[in-house]
Amino acid sequence: MENPMFACCSCKVIWTLLVTILGYGNSLPVGDDSICTAEELAKYSIIFTGKWSQTAFPKQYPLYRPPAQWSSMLGVTHSSDYSMWKKNEYASNGVRDFAEKGEAWVLMKEIEEAGEKIQSVHGIFSAAAISSGTGQTSTEFEAHSRHTLVSFVVRIVPSPDWFVGIDSLNLCEGDHWVEEVTVDLFPYDAGTDSGFTFSSPNFATIPQDTVTEITCSSPSHPANSFYYPKLKILPPIAQVKMVKLKKSQLGLPAPYVNIPAKSNEIIDSVSETPLDCEVSQWSSWGLCRGLCRKTGTKIRTRFVLLQPANNGMPCPNLDEETGCEPENCV
């Protein structure tokens, strides 16, 4: 017959071993980033290039109060236990504040709390704002073999709650770090404000919607500032490039800092986006003018809603005349 004391001790050993294994498993990040066997740390230069030009995006392009520009970049290196934002999911309060107002405090607090609670964040990084729609800004960040994902957001200014960014890009491929990666960026709607245009007043979305990509046909509304129904896809509104720094480069300043675009230096890959003229509906016919017992004329008019650009379809005639019989003749 088995000794009860020995059985009890065996149970304790097994239980202790099980708890140890489970505890170790819970401390590891979940997902593809957990299998990175590259060197522990890697440092990257990240260069953000704004391509938001009037040539590429002529519709309602903001020229003043304020003109087209980009907010500062806020980014984080993390494991798969943390998510800054995700398409088709609800934005956090921090992402809402950043996308609507460019305020970063709540989002930074969310990141710090995630790092403290579940050890899912390795570091936060930021880059300076760009005072025009085209230009560059850059900074450096560090990735860890257990925190191989990078995410960031940059607000589109002005806009209701629109931004560009990257969600959980993995910089580790098995036993090595990615040397260089370039990603085209397209606009996203945070789902917290219902404005259609760059200069729309604040109008909260109730209930809150999920984060969605803005395309040339969605939202499908002529008032949408990115609505270009003749295009198949929007041109990239921005681009980001990440380059792994060699050990000899560590500590050196990033190669680009808020450099304004010159000529086609930055936006040379973007072709002109044609914008057709848009006009209003016809007004009612005016009074018939002319001599009694003779054919007179009456006129109706319409006005331009949107001027054409980049060889788009020109505006049609804005007035039309037709014959009529004068009324109230004696």
Side-chain angles (χ1 to χ4, degrees), residues 80-246:
S80 56
D81 295 322
Y82 171 77
S83 173
M84 176 182 269
W85 66 275
K86 280 190 179 299
K87 181 179 177 181
N88 298 327
E89 293 188 8
Y90 293 105
S92 67
N93 290 335
V95 171
R96 178 199 62 201
D97 285 358
F98 191 87
E100 288 189 12
K101 298 174 283 188
E103 296 177 358
W105 299 113
V106 177
L107 181 54
M108 289 180 67
K109 187 176 180 181
E110 290 174 353
I111 295 171
E112 290 170 359
E113 288 178 351
E116 291 171 0
K117 288 181 180 179
I118 54 178
Q119 305 296 307
S120 59
V121 172
H122 179 71
I124 302 175
F125 59 90
S126 64
I130 303 175
S131 59
S132 61
T134 58
Q136 288 183 328
T137 187
S138 66
T139 189
E140 294 177 357
F141 67 85
E142 188 178 73
H144 187 275
S145 58
R146 286 176 56 188
H147 302 86
T148 63
L149 307 179
V150 60
S151 299
F152 71 82
V153 286
V154 179
R155 181 176 181 247
I156 298 173
V157 184
S159 74
D161 60 341
W162 302 342
F163 69 95
V164 298
I166 279 180
D167 165 38
S168 303
L169 176 67
N170 197 344
L171 294 175
C172 183
E173 296 181 344
D175 61 352
H176 67 279
W177 293 99
V178 174
E179 291 293 327
E180 182 177 310
V181 60
T182 301
V183 181
D184 287 332
L185 303 176
F186 300 89
Y188 281 89
D189 186 322
T192 61
D193 192 292
S194 298
F196 272 121
T197 67
F198 297 120
S199 57
S200 292
N202 184 35
F203 185 64
T205 301
I206 301 175
Q208 180 176 333
D209 203 350
T210 57
V211 175
T212 55
E213 184 176 353
I214 300 172
T215 71
C216 56
S217 57
S218 179
S220 183
H221 194 291
N224 177 18
S225 291
F226 287 110
Y227 186 69
Y228 295 94
K230 290 190 175 181
L231 295 182
K232 291 183 178 180
I233 59 172
L234 285 175
I237 196 171
Q239 187 180 79
V240 68
K241 183 177 182 180
M242 286 169 267
V243 181
K244 184 176 179 293
L245 298 177
K246 298 178 182 178

Side-chain angles (χ1 to χ4, degrees), residues 46-66:
I46 180 169
I47 305 164
F48 176 88
T49 303
K51 295 190 172 187
W52 185 18
S53 68
Q54 192 172 11
T55 300
F57 299 92
K59 186 174 182 180
Q60 302 167 3
Y61 188 80
L63 296 174
Y64 58 91
R65 296 183 183 179

Side-chain angles (χ1 to χ4, degrees), residues 32-40 145 148 172-177:
D32 293 341
D33 51 326
S34 65
I35 59 172
C36 178
T37 57
E39 58 182 336
E40 188 176 48
S145 58
T148 63
C172 183
E173 296 181 344
D175 61 352
H176 67 279
W177 293 99

